[in-house]
């Protein structure tokens, strides 16, 4: 039988594609090995055998920092655990479009014993006492209401015969936590894990170090340190025991094994070593805050819909409006009306604050300059629901700061258990405490007061996206298993799109949030 053409091909010929996974290389060594594809004919295996950590560091110092080839850092992926940070800080941490990770869920975990972050009030005991009283009160109400809501749901939701008892209880407790999470303050401790490439980590660290809140700035320092110091080795104890067994047989071999298996690994000491606070970001923020305050001085916050699909704007109007939006609490439409009337010269001055005046050679443009998307939604929703919507990273998200100025949401279930009046008293008391905390003569008093704001209070965010993402959010977030807060927002987004583009509405597969929900269906 004649040989096939494929069998006659030489090794390494046209049909010899090779695919293999890699394990064990340090992130920066792996990045160097991948970068060598553009500069060497070596295979990945050959590159990895050739490269040492010292060579990788030298290469990265040259090509990453001196020549500006920042894409090399995209090749080094790093897993990080961040534990016992406030929900407020977690929101700042995950506000990165290239971020991948998971955070503790307020649906599936009981936060009664989490503890909470306490800002430094500079020795002001009155401020500290007021803060602790407010936050402790919220946790006490969260604990008692969680139990009452669980009992109410269990009393009114019979268990199907085919459903196991533990699954039944777990599902109803998740529904109860969906209701009581409104009482959790932004100070609540949470934990999360992230997997990011080194370029994203460098950008993330710079943003955090430039933040308005001391806890978040400290978080940036800790992330930078974690990338530079020896990482936690999950195999450390197992390998140490193995090394001792080898030493017992052959001390020289045991020492070699120790050097290989127990050596400290630093995941990105070179790639993040120059990550620092951004003067561009901080100086621009200061001037835009002043510009927003000056433009809207004395103006009351006008009533606006929960979800507002905005009209198309000339680019200069959109840029100026978006730049100011982040630094006040007004709706986009209210800001835009002022921007439209101010004249082109003043609009250009606002844009120049961010585009020309402070931007350095290596500074990326601010997120507000990601403009021109057809679907722009100005959304006002409770902070808890926002945290769920915040995960949609294909969107350009421009968020305003936390405030009590927009009021709060009231879960419908509280009426059924007679807790609505008590709930409202609690939230009004919190708003009073937040106002008083912001007035104390301590550094960054307003920022520190925000930690006492419960997740029930509303936050305004501008979501920019393409049609595909608008459909994705509408379809995913209206399913009955979701939280009613973001289900209503997603459905309102669908209604806005359907109103503006009725011919496209039939193709969006949403579920009507007005229909009854089976609480046991996940």
């Amino acid at each position: 039988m004649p040989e096939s053409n494929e069998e006659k091909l030489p090794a390494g010929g046209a049909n010899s594609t090779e695919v293999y996974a890699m394990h064990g290389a340090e992130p920066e060594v792996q990045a160097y090995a991948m970068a060598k594809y553009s500069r060497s004919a070596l295979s990945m295996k050959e590159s990895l055998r050739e490269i040492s950590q010292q060579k990788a560091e030298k290469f990265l110092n040259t090509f990453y920092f001196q020549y500006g080839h920042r894409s090399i850092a995209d090749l080094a992926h790093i897993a990080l655990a961040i534990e016992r940070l406030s929900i407020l800080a977690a929101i700042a941490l995950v506000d990165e479009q290239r971020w991948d990770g998971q955070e503790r869920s307020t649906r599936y975990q009981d936060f009664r014993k989490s503890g909470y972050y306490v800002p430094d009030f500079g020795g002001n005991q009155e401020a500290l006492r007021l803060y602790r009283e407010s936050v402790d009160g919220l946790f006490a109400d969260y604990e008692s209401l969680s139990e009452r809501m669980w009992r109410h749901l269990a009393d009114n939701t019979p268990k199907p015969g085919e459903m196991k008892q533990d699954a039944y209880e777990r599902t109803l407790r998740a529904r109860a936590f969906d209701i009581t999470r409104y009482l959790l303050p932004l100070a609540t401790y949470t934990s999360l894990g992230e997997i990011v490439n080194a370029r994203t980590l460098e950008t993330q660290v710079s943003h955090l170090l430039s933040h308005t809140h001391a806890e978040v700035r400290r978080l940036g320092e800790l992330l930078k340190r974690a990338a530079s110091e020896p990482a936690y080795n999950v195999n450390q104890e197992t390998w140490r025991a193995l090394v001792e067994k080898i030493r017992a047989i052959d001390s020289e071999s045991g020492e070699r094994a120790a050097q290989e298996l127990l050596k400290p690994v630093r995941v990105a000491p070179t790639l993040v070593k120059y990550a620092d606070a951004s003067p561009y970001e901080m100086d621009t923020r200061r001037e835009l805050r002043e510009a927003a305050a000056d433009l809207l001085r004395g103006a009351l916050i006008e009533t606006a819909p929960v979800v507002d699909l905005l009209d198309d704007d000339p680019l200069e109007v959109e840029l100026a409006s978006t730049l100011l939006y982040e630094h006040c609490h007004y709706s986009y439409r209210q800001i835009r009306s002022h921007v439209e009337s101010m004249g082109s010269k003043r609009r250009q001055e606002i844009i120049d604050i961010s585009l020309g005046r402070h931007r350095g050679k290596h500074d990326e443009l601010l997120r507000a300059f990601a403009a021109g998307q057809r679907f722009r939604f100005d959304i006002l929703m409770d902070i808890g629901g926002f945290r769920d919507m915040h995960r949609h990273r294909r969107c350009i998200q421009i968020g305003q700061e936390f405030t009590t100025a927009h009021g709060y949401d009231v879960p419908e279930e509280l009426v059924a258990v007679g807790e609505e009046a008590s709930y409202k008293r609690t939230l009004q008391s919190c708003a009073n405490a937040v106002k008083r905390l912001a007035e104390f003569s301590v550094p960054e008093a307003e920022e520190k007061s925000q930690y006492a704001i419960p997740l029930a209070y509303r936050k305004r965010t501008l979501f920019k996206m393409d049609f595909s993402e608008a459909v994705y959010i509408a379809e995913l977030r209206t399913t009955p298993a979701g939280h009613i807060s973001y289900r209503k927002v997603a459905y309102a987004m669908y209604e806005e799109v359907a109103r503006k583009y009725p011919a496209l509405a039939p193709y969006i597969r949403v579920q009507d949030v007005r229909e009854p929900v089976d609480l046991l269906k996940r």
Side-chain angles (χ1 to χ4, degrees):
M1 181 180 293
E3 294 180 345
S4 68
N5 290 333
E6 183 171 314
E7 290 173 336
K8 291 180 180 179
L9 287 171
N15 293 336
S16 60
T17 301
E18 185 178 7
V19 178
Y20 50 90
M22 291 165 290
H23 166 72
E26 298 173 24
E28 288 195 351
V29 170
Q30 183 69 77
Y32 179 20
M34 288 191 171
K36 286 193 73 173
Y37 273 133
S38 68
R39 297 167 177 82
S40 167
L42 293 177
S43 72
M44 182 64 65
K45 294 175 184 177
E46 291 169 329
S47 292
L48 287 171
R49 283 194 293 267
E50 178 190 271
I51 298 170
S52 66
Q53 181 62 50
Q54 289 77 16
K55 284 186 178 180
E57 182 176 350
K58 182 179 179 181
F59 171 84
L60 294 170
N61 274 321
T62 299
F63 284 90
Y64 188 72
F65 296 113
Q66 293 182 28
Y67 297 165
H69 296 324
R70 299 189 68 203
S71 61
I72 294 171
D74 293 340
L75 306 173
H77 284 76
I78 302 155
L80 293 156
I82 303 99
E83 299 175 352
R84 288 180 62 77
L85 72 164
S86 73
I87 289 178
L88 185 151
I91 290 172
L93 179 74
V94 306
D95 188 39
E96 167 58 57
Q97 284 185 276
R98 296 171 293 190
W99 187 86
D100 290 304
Q102 288 288 323
E103 184 183 347
R104 284 185 67 193
S105 170
T106 55
R107 165 175 284 183
Y108 299 114
Q109 295 194 44
D110 186 345
F111 277 71
R112 285 179 293 183
K113 298 180 181 179
S114 297
Y116 59 86
Y117 176 76
V118 180
D120 180 4
F121 288 101
N124 190 314
Q125 294 303 308
E126 185 181 356
L128 179 61
R129 177 192 57 77
L130 175 61
Y131 178 82
R132 285 195 176 277
E133 283 181 359
S134 181
V135 174
D136 286 340
L138 285 169
F139 272 100
D141 289 347
Y142 168 80
E143 181 173 4
S144 61
L145 185 58
S146 292
E147 192 60 31
R148 287 198 297 276
M149 288 309 308
W150 144 245
R151 292 296 174 194
H152 168 75
L153 294 176
D155 290 343
N156 291 275
T157 312
K159 183 181 79 66
E162 70 278 7
M163 192 175 197
K164 292 183 178 180
Q165 183 66 27
D166 62 341
Y168 169 75
E169 293 185 6
R170 185 171 58 251
T171 301
L172 288 187
R173 286 199 181 278
R175 292 290 188 180
F177 287 145
D178 271 354
I179 300 165
T180 57
R181 80 176 189 183
Y182 286 90
L183 292 172
L184 289 173
L186 283 167
T188 305
Y189 274 140
T190 184
S191 298
L192 57 85
E194 69 173 29
I195 299 176
V196 293
N197 64 50
R199 175 152 55 159
T200 298
L201 179 61
E202 183 185 36
T203 301
Q204 185 183 47
V205 167
S206 179
H207 286 324
L208 297 177
L209 292 174
S210 309
H211 203 270
T212 52
H213 291 64
E215 181 202 8
V216 180
R217 295 194 295 272
R218 172 63 175 160
L219 183 58
E221 295 171 0
L222 293 174
L223 279 175
K224 185 175 179 178
R225 183 187 303 173
S228 306
E229 294 181 347
Y232 169 70
N233 183 352
V234 67
N235 297 306
Q236 185 84 5
E237 293 182 12
T238 302
W239 287 348
R240 189 177 297 280
L242 176 61
V243 166
E244 293 306 317
K245 288 183 179 180
I246 296 172
R247 276 188 174 135
I249 300 170
D250 183 341
S251 61
E252 183 178 345
S253 297
E255 187 58 35
R256 288 185 60 191
Q259 291 175 5
E260 291 297 322
L261 297 178
L262 303 179
K263 65 180 179 181
V265 173
R266 296 168 174 82
V267 293
T270 310
L271 293 171
V272 301
K273 66 180 179 181
Y274 294 125
D276 207 348
S278 167
Y280 169 53
E281 188 173 331
M282 294 185 292
D283 292 342
T284 299
R285 179 174 61 227
R286 184 189 67 254
E287 289 200 32
L288 286 175
R289 281 185 170 184
E290 293 172 356
D294 182 62
L295 178 65
L296 294 141
R297 192 176 309 279
L300 298 176
I301 297 175
E302 297 175 358
T303 302
V306 171
V307 174
D308 186 7
L309 178 57
L310 301 166
D311 304 317
D312 293 339
D313 291 323
L315 183 59
E316 293 86 353
V317 172
E318 180 185 348
L319 289 176
S321 300
T322 306
L323 286 165
L324 296 173
Y325 175 94
E326 187 175 0
H327 302 289
C328 60
H329 295 298
Y330 299 94
S331 72
Y332 183 91
R333 285 189 185 274
Q334 188 172 357
I335 296 168
R336 183 178 62 188
S337 67
H338 285 75
V339 168
E340 286 177 325
S341 64
M342 68 170 48
S344 59
K345 182 180 179 181
R346 180 60 180 135
R347 282 197 296 271
Q348 196 63 42
E349 289 173 354
I350 291 171
I351 294 171
D352 184 64
I353 291 172
S354 301
L355 199 58
R357 192 176 306 174
H358 301 298
R359 186 182 175 213
K361 179 180 179 181
H362 300 294
D363 289 321
E364 294 182 9
L365 287 176
L366 299 178
R367 187 179 297 177
F369 287 97
Q373 291 84 350
R374 176 64 59 88
F375 295 87
R376 297 177 299 134
F377 297 91
D378 190 3
I379 297 177
L380 181 64
M381 66 185 305
D382 66 281
I383 299 169
F386 160 77
R387 291 174 70 236
D388 295 309
M389 294 289 287
H390 197 201
R391 298 179 188 138
H392 292 281
R393 312 210 176 277
R394 280 176 56 193
C395 302
I396 303 298
Q397 299 184 27
I398 310 294
Q400 296 183 350
E401 286 196 352
F402 304 104
T403 180
T404 59
H406 302 306
Y408 52 82
D409 281 6
V410 180
E412 296 175 1
E413 295 86 350
L414 294 181
V415 179
V417 295
E419 293 290 341
E420 181 182 10
S422 175
Y423 173 86
K424 289 182 175 180
R425 284 196 299 271
T426 295
L427 290 181
Q428 185 55 55
S429 176
C430 284
N432 295 338
V434 169
K435 184 176 184 296
R436 289 176 58 196
L437 287 167
E439 293 170 349
F440 279 102
S441 297
V442 297
E444 299 178 5
E446 184 173 349
E447 286 78 11
K448 292 169 182 175
S449 72
Q450 293 170 7
Y451 286 97
I453 298 176
L455 300 187
Y457 275 93
R458 300 183 186 119
K459 181 184 187 300
R460 191 183 294 285
T461 309
L462 187 62
F463 286 80
K464 303 182 179 185
M465 66 195 77
D466 57 25
F467 177 67
S468 174
E469 183 67 0
V471 172
Y472 176 75
I473 292 175
E475 293 185 348
L476 175 69
R477 294 299 185 182
T478 57
T479 58
H483 194 287
I484 188 59
S485 170
Y486 63 69
R487 289 188 70 217
K488 288 180 177 179
V489 167
Y491 195 77
M493 290 173 66
Y494 156 73
E495 290 181 313
E496 287 284 281
V497 174
R499 176 185 57 79
K500 193 169 184 178
Y501 303 100
L504 297 174
Y507 300 102
I508 306 176
R509 298 175 294 191
V510 296
Q511 300 192 46
D512 195 331
V513 298
R514 295 163 294 192
E515 295 177 357
V517 171
D518 182 353
L519 295 180
L520 298 176
K521 187 173 291 186
R522 309 304 294 158

